[in-house]
Amino acid sequence: GDSVTQMEGPVTLSEEAFLTINCTYTATGYPSLFWYVQYPGEGLQLLLKATKADDKGSNKGFEATYRKETTSFHLEKGSVQVSDSAVYFCALSDSNQFYFGTGTSLTVIP
Amino acid sequence: DTGVSQDPRHKITKRGQNVTFRCDPISEHNRLYWYRQTLGQGPEFLTYFQNEAQLEKSRLLSDRFSAERPKGSFSTLEIQRTEQGDSAMYLCASSFIGGPYEQYFGPGTRLTVT
């Protein structure tokens, strides 16, 4: 079945460092891919999405490119801020269900 | 606020009791999903509705769990005879039918079974 494998955390970075969180997927069809973010004490928020191969999703300085050849959707940000501290979830959708990774906790220190 | 809302936000109950949670989706959305999230894990799919029809249920949803969405608006999730293993965050999300299917989540209901 469909699944998502996400880089394990926790990840601790200094402010302004470069961020990469790896995500790979297994799917039988052509899923849409998403990154969600969960701030402490809050629900999941959609961060960005990509619906087909080679699409790049971007939002708030974060980017991820849908790579069909490597079945990956890695999240990147060039310069993280303390306010980016949260748990990040990679997810895929086959139009009926969502499959989430286990989440990667990011802490950014000043 | 026109986002997804859930009630209550927290529920503490004794083992064996029944609990019911409510979710109000974004009003234009016709799909509604329930998930369970335990500490350090991603959300696990439980069930989803398209309008008032319950279209799919996970095998995680034992016969102690039941969900309804009367009239295709709000939804309720009931857990009967709660067990300590039911302690988790229960998340509700809604979306439109039609791509790219992004889901919008509520804040969740945290259930603690003592």
Side-chain angles (χ1 to χ4, degrees):
Chain A
D2 294 1
S3 66
V4 173
T5 301
Q6 197 173 331
M7 165 181 164
E8 291 190 13
V11 174
T12 301
L13 295 173
S14 297
E15 205 165 23
E16 299 183 2
F18 184 84
L19 169 71
T20 300
I21 301 177
N22 290 339
C23 172
T24 57
Y25 68 91
T26 301
T28 52
Y30 302 94
S32 296
L33 300 174
F34 304 84
W35 278 99
Y36 280 82
V37 59
Q38 189 172 33
Y39 298 102
E42 298 185 14
L44 277 77
Q45 299 176 25
L46 177 66
L47 181 59
L48 53 83
K49 65 179 187 252
T51 59
K52 60 184 187 298
D54 300 325
D55 268 3
K56 178 185 282 187
S58 61
N59 185 27
K60 300 182 181 179
F62 291 90
E63 294 183 338
T65 300
Y66 190 150
R67 301 283 187 203
K68 191 169 184 295
E69 64 276 12
T70 54
T71 61
S72 65
F73 193 55
H74 305 321
L75 182 68
E76 296 182 337
K77 186 174 185 182
S79 176
V80 294
Q81 306 300 311
V82 172
S83 57
D84 294 326
S85 298
V87 181
Y88 292 82
F89 294 93
C90 185
L92 72 80
S93 169
D94 65 359
S95 84
N96 287 333
Q97 283 197 37
F98 264 57
Y99 301 87
F100 285 86
T102 54
T104 301
S105 175
L106 170 66
T107 300
V108 180
I109 55 177
Chain B
D1 185 11
T2 57
V4 178
S5 61
Q6 292 187 246
D7 184 69
R9 294 290 305 274
H10 304 274
K11 179 71 177 178
I12 300 174
T13 191
K14 293 187 177 179
R15 190 175 52 194
Q17 298 294 304
N18 298 344
V19 294
T20 300
F21 310 140
R22 176 179 170 127
C23 170
D24 287 87
I26 294 172
S27 57
E28 315 88 81
H29 287 178
N30 36 27
R31 282 194 172 177
L32 186 149
Y33 299 77
W34 285 100
Y35 293 86
R36 182 174 68 188
Q37 185 181 21
T38 53
L39 197 62
Q41 298 298 315
E44 296 174 296
F45 169 79
L46 293 178
T47 188
Y48 90 95
F49 293 83
Q50 184 163 301
N51 299 313
E52 65 275 10
Q54 187 173 16
L55 294 189
E56 196 161 342
K57 293 194 290 186
S58 163
R59 61 180 179 275
L60 293 175
L61 211 66
S62 75
D63 56 7
R64 295 185 298 105
F65 288 71
S66 63
E68 294 182 343
R69 192 183 183 198
K71 302 179 184 178
S73 56
F74 70 92
S75 176
T76 58
L77 178 68
E78 181 182 17
I79 309 174
Q80 297 183 326
R81 305 182 302 282
T82 52
E83 301 173 356
Q84 287 189 319
D86 297 330
S87 296
M89 178 75 86
Y90 290 85
L91 299 172
C92 176
S94 69
S95 73
F96 285 112
I97 295 174
Y101 309 106
E102 64 260 39
Q103 297 184 0
Y104 294 85
F105 282 80
T109 295
R110 181 166 296 283
L111 173 66
T112 302
V113 182
T114 63

Coordinates of all heavy atoms in Angstrom, one line a residue, chain A residues 13-90:
Chain A
L13 N 18.9 23.2 14.9 CA 19.7 24.0 14.0 C 19.8 25.4 14.7 O 18.9 25.8 15.4 CB 19.0 24.2 12.6 CG 18.9 23.0 11.7 CD1 18.1 23.3 10.5 CD2 20.3 22.5 11.4
S14 N 20.9 26.1 14.3 CA 21.0 27.5 14.7 C 20.3 28.3 13.7 O 20.0 28.0 12.5 CB 22.5 27.9 14.7 OG 23.2 27.1 15.6
E15 N 19.8 29.5 14.2 CA 19.1 30.4 13.4 C 19.9 30.7 12.1 O 21.2 30.9 12.2 CB 18.8 31.7 14.2 CG 17.6 32.5 13.7 CD 17.2 33.5 14.7 OE1 18.0 33.9 15.6 OE2 16.0 33.9 14.6
E16 N 19.3 30.9 11.0 CA 19.8 31.2 9.7 C 20.5 30.0 9.0 O 21.1 30.1 7.9 CB 20.8 32.4 9.7 CG 20.1 33.7 10.2 CD 21.0 34.9 10.2 OE1 22.2 34.7 9.8 OE2 20.6 35.9 10.6
A17 N 20.5 28.8 9.6 CA 21.1 27.6 9.0 C 20.1 27.1 7.9 O 19.0 27.5 7.8 CB 21.3 26.5 10.1
F18 N 20.7 26.2 7.1 CA 19.9 25.6 6.0 C 19.3 24.4 6.5 O 19.9 23.6 7.2 CB 20.9 25.3 4.8 CG 20.2 24.7 3.6 CD1 19.7 25.6 2.7 CD2 20.1 23.3 3.4 CE1 19.0 25.1 1.6 CE2 19.4 22.8 2.3 CZ 18.9 23.7 1.4
L19 N 18.0 24.2 6.1 CA 17.2 23.0 6.5 C 16.9 22.1 5.4 O 16.5 22.6 4.3 CB 15.9 23.5 7.2 CG 14.9 22.4 7.4 CD1 15.3 21.6 8.6 CD2 13.5 23.1 7.7
T20 N 17.1 20.8 5.6 CA 16.6 19.8 4.7 C 15.9 18.7 5.6 O 16.6 18.2 6.5 CB 17.6 19.1 3.9 OG1 18.3 20.1 3.1 CG2 17.0 18.0 3.0
I21 N 14.7 18.4 5.3 CA 14.0 17.2 5.9 C 13.6 16.3 4.8 O 12.9 16.6 3.9 CB 12.8 17.6 6.7 CG1 13.1 18.6 7.8 CG2 12.1 16.4 7.3 CD1 12.0 19.1 8.6
N22 N 14.2 15.1 4.9 CA 14.0 14.1 3.8 C 12.6 13.4 3.9 O 12.2 13.1 5.0 CB 15.1 13.1 3.8 CG 16.4 13.7 3.3 OD1 16.4 14.7 2.7 ND2 17.5 13.0 3.7
C23 N 12.0 13.2 2.7 CA 10.8 12.4 2.7 C 10.8 11.6 1.4 O 11.0 12.1 0.3 CB 9.6 13.4 2.7 SG 8.0 12.6 2.3
T24 N 10.5 10.3 1.5 CA 10.3 9.5 0.3 C 9.0 8.8 0.5 O 8.4 8.6 1.6 CB 11.4 8.4 0.2 OG1 11.5 7.6 1.4 CG2 12.8 9.1 0.0
Y25 N 8.4 8.4 -0.7 CA 7.1 7.8 -0.6 C 7.0 6.5 -1.5 O 7.9 6.3 -2.4 CB 6.1 8.8 -1.1 CG 6.2 9.2 -2.6 CD1 5.5 8.4 -3.6 CD2 7.0 10.2 -3.0 CE1 5.6 8.7 -4.9 CE2 7.1 10.5 -4.4 CZ 6.4 9.8 -5.3 OH 6.6 10.1 -6.6
T26 N 6.0 5.8 -1.2 CA 5.7 4.6 -2.0 C 4.2 4.7 -2.4 O 3.4 4.9 -1.5 CB 5.9 3.3 -1.2 OG1 7.2 3.2 -0.8 CG2 5.5 2.1 -2.1
A27 N 3.9 4.6 -3.7 CA 2.5 4.8 -4.1 C 2.3 4.0 -5.4 O 3.2 3.9 -6.2 CB 2.2 6.3 -4.3
T28 N 1.1 3.5 -5.6 CA 0.9 2.7 -6.8 C 0.4 3.6 -7.9 O 0.6 3.3 -9.1 CB -0.2 1.7 -6.5 OG1 -1.3 2.3 -5.9 CG2 0.3 0.6 -5.6
G29 N -0.1 4.7 -7.6 CA -0.6 5.6 -8.7 C 0.2 6.9 -8.8 O 1.4 6.9 -8.6
Y30 N -0.5 8.0 -8.9 CA 0.1 9.3 -9.0 C -0.4 10.2 -8.0 O -1.4 11.0 -8.2 CB -0.2 9.9 -10.4 CG 0.3 8.9 -11.5 CD1 -0.5 8.0 -12.1 CD2 1.7 9.0 -11.9 CE1 0.0 7.1 -13.1 CE2 2.1 8.1 -12.9 CZ 1.3 7.2 -13.5 OH 1.7 6.3 -14.4
P31 N 0.1 10.1 -6.8 CA -0.4 10.9 -5.6 C -0.1 12.3 -5.7 O 0.8 12.8 -6.4 CB 0.2 10.2 -4.4 CG 1.6 9.8 -4.9 CD 1.3 9.3 -6.4
S32 N -0.8 13.1 -4.9 CA -0.4 14.5 -4.5 C 0.4 14.4 -3.3 O 0.2 13.5 -2.4 CB -1.6 15.4 -4.3 OG -2.4 15.5 -5.5
L33 N 1.4 15.3 -3.1 CA 2.3 15.3 -2.0 C 2.2 16.6 -1.2 O 1.9 17.7 -1.8 CB 3.7 15.1 -2.5 CG 4.0 13.8 -3.2 CD1 5.4 13.8 -3.8 CD2 3.7 12.6 -2.3
F34 N 2.3 16.5 0.1 CA 2.1 17.7 1.0 C 3.1 17.7 2.1 O 3.7 16.7 2.5 CB 0.7 17.6 1.6 CG -0.4 17.4 0.7 CD1 -0.8 16.2 0.2 CD2 -1.2 18.5 0.3 CE1 -1.9 16.0 -0.7 CE2 -2.2 18.4 -0.6 CZ -2.6 17.2 -1.1
W35 N 3.4 18.9 2.6 CA 4.0 19.1 3.9 C 3.1 19.9 4.8 O 2.5 20.9 4.4 CB 5.3 19.9 3.7 CG 6.5 19.0 3.3 CD1 7.0 18.8 2.1 CD2 7.3 18.2 4.2 NE1 8.1 18.0 2.1 CE2 8.2 17.5 3.4 CE3 7.3 17.9 5.5 CZ2 9.2 16.6 3.9 CZ3 8.2 17.0 6.0 CH2 9.1 16.4 5.2
Y36 N 2.9 19.3 6.0 CA 2.1 20.0 7.0 C 3.0 20.3 8.2 O 4.0 19.6 8.4 CB 1.0 19.0 7.5 CG -0.2 19.0 6.6 CD1 -0.3 18.1 5.5 CD2 -1.4 19.7 6.9 CE1 -1.4 18.1 4.7 CE2 -2.5 19.7 6.1 CZ -2.5 18.8 5.0 OH -3.6 18.8 4.2
V37 N 2.7 21.4 8.9 CA 3.5 21.8 10.1 C 2.5 21.8 11.3 O 1.3 22.2 11.1 CB 4.1 23.1 9.8 CG1 3.2 24.2 9.5 CG2 5.0 23.5 11.0
Q38 N 3.1 21.4 12.4 CA 2.3 21.4 13.6 C 3.1 22.2 14.7 O 4.1 21.7 15.2 CB 2.0 20.0 14.1 CG 1.0 19.9 15.3 CD 0.6 18.5 15.6 OE1 1.3 17.5 15.4 NE2 -0.7 18.3 16.0
Y39 N 2.6 23.4 15.0 CA 3.2 24.2 16.1 C 2.8 23.6 17.4 O 1.7 23.1 17.5 CB 2.9 25.6 15.9 CG 3.5 26.2 14.6 CD1 2.6 26.4 13.5 CD2 4.8 26.5 14.5 CE1 3.1 26.9 12.3 CE2 5.3 27.0 13.3 CZ 4.5 27.2 12.2 OH 4.9 27.7 11.0
P40 N 3.5 23.9 18.5 CA 3.2 23.3 19.8 C 1.7 23.7 20.2 O 1.4 24.9 20.1 CB 4.2 24.0 20.7 CG 5.4 24.2 19.8 CD 4.8 24.6 18.5
G41 N 1.0 22.7 20.6 CA -0.4 23.0 21.1 C -1.4 23.3 20.0 O -2.6 23.7 20.3
E42 N -1.0 23.2 18.7 CA -1.9 23.6 17.6 C -2.2 22.4 16.7 O -1.5 21.3 16.8 CB -1.4 24.7 16.8 CG -1.2 26.0 17.6 CD -0.7 27.1 16.8 OE1 -0.8 27.1 15.5 OE2 -0.3 28.2 17.4
G43 N -3.2 22.5 15.8 CA -3.5 21.5 14.9 C -2.5 21.6 13.7 O -1.7 22.5 13.6
L44 N -2.6 20.6 12.8 CA -1.8 20.6 11.6 C -2.2 21.7 10.6 O -3.4 21.9 10.4 CB -1.9 19.3 10.8 CG -1.0 18.1 11.4 CD1 -1.6 17.6 12.7 CD2 -0.9 17.0 10.3
Q45 N -1.2 22.4 10.0 CA -1.5 23.4 9.0 C -0.8 23.0 7.7 O 0.4 22.5 7.8 CB -0.9 24.7 9.5 CG -1.5 25.3 10.8 CD -0.8 26.6 11.2 OE1 -0.3 27.3 10.4 NE2 -0.9 26.9 12.5
L46 N -1.5 23.2 6.6 CA -0.9 22.9 5.3 C 0.3 23.9 5.1 O 0.1 25.1 5.2 CB -1.9 23.0 4.2 CG -1.4 22.8 2.8 CD1 -0.9 21.4 2.6 CD2 -2.5 23.2 1.8
L47 N 1.4 23.4 4.8 CA 2.6 24.3 4.5 C 2.8 24.5 3.0 O 2.9 25.6 2.5 CB 3.9 23.7 5.1 CG 5.1 24.5 4.9 CD1 5.0 25.9 5.6 CD2 6.3 23.7 5.6
L48 N 2.8 23.4 2.3 CA 2.9 23.4 0.8 C 2.5 22.1 0.2 O 2.3 21.1 0.9 CB 4.3 23.8 0.4 CG 5.5 23.0 0.9 CD1 5.7 21.7 0.1 CD2 6.8 23.8 0.9
K49 N 2.2 22.2 -1.1 CA 1.8 21.0 -1.8 C 2.3 20.9 -3.2 O 2.7 22.0 -3.8 CB 0.3 20.9 -1.9 CG -0.4 22.0 -2.7 CD -1.9 21.9 -2.7 CE -2.5 22.9 -3.6 NZ -3.2 24.0 -3.0
A50 N 2.3 19.7 -3.8 CA 2.6 19.5 -5.2 C 1.8 18.4 -5.8 O 1.6 17.4 -5.1 CB 4.1 19.2 -5.4
T51 N 1.2 18.6 -6.9 CA 0.2 17.6 -7.4 C 0.7 16.7 -8.5 O 0.1 15.7 -8.9 CB -1.0 18.3 -7.9 OG1 -0.7 19.2 -8.9 CG2 -1.7 19.1 -6.8
K52 N 1.9 17.0 -9.1 CA 2.4 16.2 -10.2 C 3.9 16.3 -10.2 O 4.5 17.2 -9.7 CB 1.8 16.5 -11.5 CG 2.0 17.9 -12.0 CD 1.3 18.2 -13.3 CE 1.7 19.5 -13.9 NZ 1.3 20.6 -13.1
A53 N 4.5 15.3 -10.9 CA 6.0 15.2 -11.0 C 6.6 16.6 -11.5 O 6.0 17.2 -12.4 CB 6.3 14.1 -11.9
D54 N 7.7 16.9 -10.9 CA 8.5 18.1 -11.1 C 7.8 19.4 -10.6 O 8.4 20.5 -10.8 CB 8.8 18.3 -12.6 CG 9.6 17.1 -13.1 OD1 10.4 16.6 -12.4 OD2 9.3 16.7 -14.3
D55 N 6.6 19.3 -10.1 CA 6.0 20.5 -9.4 C 6.9 20.9 -8.3 O 7.3 20.1 -7.5 CB 4.6 20.2 -8.9 CG 3.5 20.5 -10.0 OD1 3.9 20.9 -11.1 OD2 2.3 20.4 -9.6
K56 N 7.0 22.2 -8.0 CA 7.6 22.7 -6.8 C 6.6 23.4 -6.0 O 6.0 24.4 -6.5 CB 8.8 23.6 -7.2 CG 9.5 24.2 -5.9 CD 10.5 25.3 -6.3 CE 11.8 24.6 -6.7 NZ 12.9 25.6 -6.9
G57 N 6.4 23.0 -4.8 CA 5.6 23.7 -3.8 C 6.4 24.7 -3.0 O 7.6 24.3 -2.7
S58 N 5.9 25.8 -2.7 CA 6.6 26.8 -1.9 C 5.7 27.6 -1.0 O 4.6 27.9 -1.4 CB 7.5 27.7 -2.7 OG 6.7 28.4 -3.6
N59 N 6.2 28.0 0.2 CA 5.4 28.8 1.1 C 6.3 29.2 2.2 O 7.1 28.4 2.8 CB 4.2 28.1 1.6 CG 3.3 28.9 2.4 OD1 3.2 30.1 2.3 ND2 2.5 28.3 3.3
K60 N 6.3 30.5 2.6 CA 7.0 31.0 3.8 C 8.5 30.7 3.7 O 9.1 30.5 4.8 CB 6.4 30.4 5.1 CG 4.9 30.8 5.3 CD 4.5 30.2 6.6 CE 3.0 30.5 6.8 NZ 2.5 29.9 8.1
G61 N 9.1 30.6 2.5 CA 10.5 30.4 2.4 C 10.8 28.9 2.3 O 12.0 28.5 2.0
F62 N 9.8 28.0 2.5 CA 10.0 26.6 2.4 C 9.7 26.1 1.0 O 8.9 26.7 0.3 CB 9.1 25.8 3.4 CG 9.4 26.0 4.8 CD1 8.8 27.0 5.5 CD2 10.2 25.1 5.4 CE1 9.1 27.1 6.9 CE2 10.5 25.2 6.8 CZ 10.0 26.2 7.5
E63 N 10.5 25.1 0.5 CA 10.2 24.6 -0.8 C 10.3 23.1 -0.8 O 11.1 22.5 0.0 CB 11.3 25.1 -1.8 CG 11.3 26.5 -2.1 CD 12.4 26.9 -3.1 OE1 13.4 26.1 -3.3 OE2 12.2 28.0 -3.8
A64 N 9.6 22.4 -1.7 CA 9.8 21.0 -1.9 C 9.4 20.7 -3.4 O 8.5 21.2 -3.9 CB 8.9 20.2 -1.0
T65 N 10.2 19.8 -4.0 CA 10.0 19.4 -5.4 C 9.6 18.0 -5.5 O 10.2 17.1 -4.9 CB 11.2 19.7 -6.2 OG1 11.6 21.1 -6.1 CG2 11.0 19.3 -7.7
Y66 N 8.5 17.7 -6.2 CA 8.0 16.4 -6.4 C 8.9 15.7 -7.4 O 8.9 16.0 -8.6 CB 6.6 16.5 -7.0 CG 5.7 15.3 -7.1 CD1 4.3 15.5 -7.0 CD2 6.2 14.0 -7.4 CE1 3.5 14.4 -7.1 CE2 5.3 13.0 -7.5 CZ 4.0 13.1 -7.4 OH 3.1 12.1 -7.5
R67 N 9.7 14.7 -6.9 CA 10.6 14.0 -7.8 C 10.1 12.5 -8.0 O 10.2 11.7 -7.1 CB 12.0 13.9 -7.1 CG 12.6 15.3 -6.9 CD 13.2 15.9 -8.1 NE 13.9 17.1 -7.8 CZ 14.1 18.1 -8.7 NH1 13.6 18.0 -9.9 NH2 14.8 19.1 -8.4
K68 N 9.6 12.3 -9.1 CA 9.0 10.9 -9.4 C 10.1 9.9 -9.5 O 10.0 8.8 -9.1 CB 8.1 11.0 -10.6 CG 7.3 9.7 -10.9 CD 6.3 10.0 -11.9 CE 5.3 8.8 -12.1 NZ 6.1 7.6 -12.6
E69 N 11.2 10.3 -10.1 CA 12.3 9.3 -10.4 C 12.9 8.8 -9.1 O 13.4 7.7 -9.1 CB 13.4 10.0 -11.3 CG 14.1 11.1 -10.8 CD 13.4 12.5 -10.9 OE1 12.2 12.5 -11.3 OE2 14.0 13.5 -10.7
T70 N 13.0 9.7 -8.1 CA 13.5 9.2 -6.8 C 12.4 9.0 -5.7 O 12.8 8.8 -4.6 CB 14.5 10.3 -6.3 OG1 13.9 11.5 -6.2 CG2 15.8 10.3 -7.2
T71 N 11.2 9.2 -6.1 CA 10.0 9.1 -5.2 C 10.3 9.9 -3.9 O 10.2 9.4 -2.8 CB 9.6 7.6 -4.9 OG1 10.7 7.0 -4.2 CG2 9.2 6.9 -6.1
S72 N 10.7 11.2 -4.1 CA 11.0 12.0 -3.0 C 10.3 13.3 -3.0 O 9.8 13.8 -4.1 CB 12.5 12.2 -2.9 OG 13.0 12.9 -4.0
F73 N 10.2 14.0 -1.8 CA 9.6 15.3 -1.7 C 10.3 15.9 -0.5 O 9.6 16.2 0.5 CB 8.1 15.1 -1.5 CG 7.3 16.4 -1.6 CD1 7.3 17.1 -2.8 CD2 6.4 16.7 -0.6 CE1 6.6 18.3 -2.9 CE2 5.6 17.9 -0.8 CZ 5.7 18.7 -1.9
H74 N 11.5 16.2 -0.6 CA 12.3 16.8 0.5 C 12.0 18.2 0.7 O 11.9 19.0 -0.2 CB 13.8 16.6 0.2 CG 14.3 15.2 -0.1 ND1 13.8 14.1 0.5 CD2 15.2 14.8 -1.0 CE1 14.3 13.0 0.0 NE2 15.2 13.4 -0.9
L75 N 11.9 18.6 2.0 CA 11.5 19.9 2.4 C 12.8 20.7 2.7 O 13.7 20.2 3.3 CB 10.7 19.9 3.7 CG 10.2 21.3 4.2 CD1 9.2 21.9 3.3 CD2 9.6 21.2 5.6
E76 N 12.9 21.9 2.1 CA 14.1 22.8 2.3 C 13.8 24.2 2.6 O 12.7 24.7 2.2 CB 15.0 22.8 1.0 CG 15.5 21.4 0.6 CD 16.4 21.5 -0.6 OE1 16.2 22.4 -1.4 OE2 17.2 20.6 -0.8
K77 N 14.7 24.8 3.4 CA 14.5 26.2 3.7 C 16.0 26.8 3.8 O 16.8 26.2 4.5 CB 13.7 26.5 4.9 CG 13.5 28.0 5.1 CD 12.6 28.4 6.3 CE 12.3 29.9 6.3 NZ 11.4 30.3 7.4
G78 N 16.2 27.9 3.2 CA 17.6 28.4 3.1 C 18.1 29.0 4.4 O 19.3 29.0 4.7
S79 N 17.2 29.6 5.2 CA 17.6 30.3 6.4 C 16.4 30.2 7.4 O 15.5 30.9 7.3 CB 17.9 31.7 6.1 OG 18.2 32.4 7.3
V80 N 16.6 29.2 8.4 CA 15.5 29.0 9.4 C 15.5 30.1 10.5 O 16.6 30.7 10.8 CB 15.6 27.6 10.0 CG1 15.4 26.5 8.9 CG2 17.0 27.4 10.7
Q81 N 14.3 30.3 11.0 CA 14.1 31.2 12.1 C 13.6 30.4 13.4 O 13.1 29.3 13.2 CB 13.1 32.3 11.7 CG 13.5 33.0 10.4 CD 14.8 33.7 10.5 OE1 15.1 34.4 11.5 NE2 15.7 33.5 9.5
V82 N 13.8 31.1 14.5 CA 13.3 30.5 15.7 C 11.8 30.1 15.6 O 11.4 29.0 16.1 CB 13.6 31.4 16.9 CG1 12.9 30.8 18.2 CG2 15.1 31.6 17.2
S83 N 11.1 30.9 14.9 CA 9.6 30.7 14.8 C 9.3 29.5 13.9 O 8.1 29.1 13.8 CB 9.0 31.9 14.2 OG 9.6 32.3 12.9
D84 N 10.3 28.9 13.2 CA 10.1 27.7 12.5 C 10.1 26.4 13.3 O 9.8 25.3 12.8 CB 11.1 27.6 11.4 CG 11.0 28.7 10.3 OD1 9.9 29.1 10.0 OD2 12.1 29.1 9.8
S85 N 10.4 26.6 14.6 CA 10.4 25.4 15.5 C 9.0 24.8 15.5 O 8.0 25.4 15.9 CB 10.9 25.8 16.9 OG 12.2 26.3 16.9
A86 N 8.9 23.5 15.1 CA 7.6 22.8 15.0 C 7.9 21.4 14.6 O 9.1 21.0 14.5 CB 6.8 23.5 14.0
V87 N 6.8 20.6 14.5 CA 6.9 19.3 13.9 C 6.4 19.3 12.5 O 5.4 19.9 12.2 CB 6.1 18.3 14.7 CG1 6.3 16.9 14.1 CG2 6.6 18.3 16.2
Y88 N 7.2 18.7 11.6 CA 6.9 18.8 10.1 C 6.5 17.4 9.7 O 7.2 16.4 10.0 CB 8.1 19.3 9.3 CG 8.3 20.8 9.6 CD1 9.0 21.1 10.8 CD2 7.8 21.8 8.8 CE1 9.2 22.5 11.1 CE2 8.0 23.1 9.1 CZ 8.7 23.5 10.2 OH 8.9 24.8 10.5
F89 N 5.4 17.3 9.0 CA 4.8 16.0 8.5 C 4.8 16.0 7.0 O 4.2 16.9 6.4 CB 3.4 15.7 9.0 CG 3.4 15.5 10.5 CD1 3.1 16.6 11.3 CD2 3.5 14.2 11.0 CE1 3.0 16.4 12.7 CE2 3.5 14.0 12.4 CZ 3.2 15.1 13.3
C90 N 5.3 15.0 6.4 CA 5.2 14.7 4.9 C 4.0 13.8 4.8 O 3.7 13.0 5.6 CB 6.4 14.0 4.4 SG 6.5 13.8 2.7

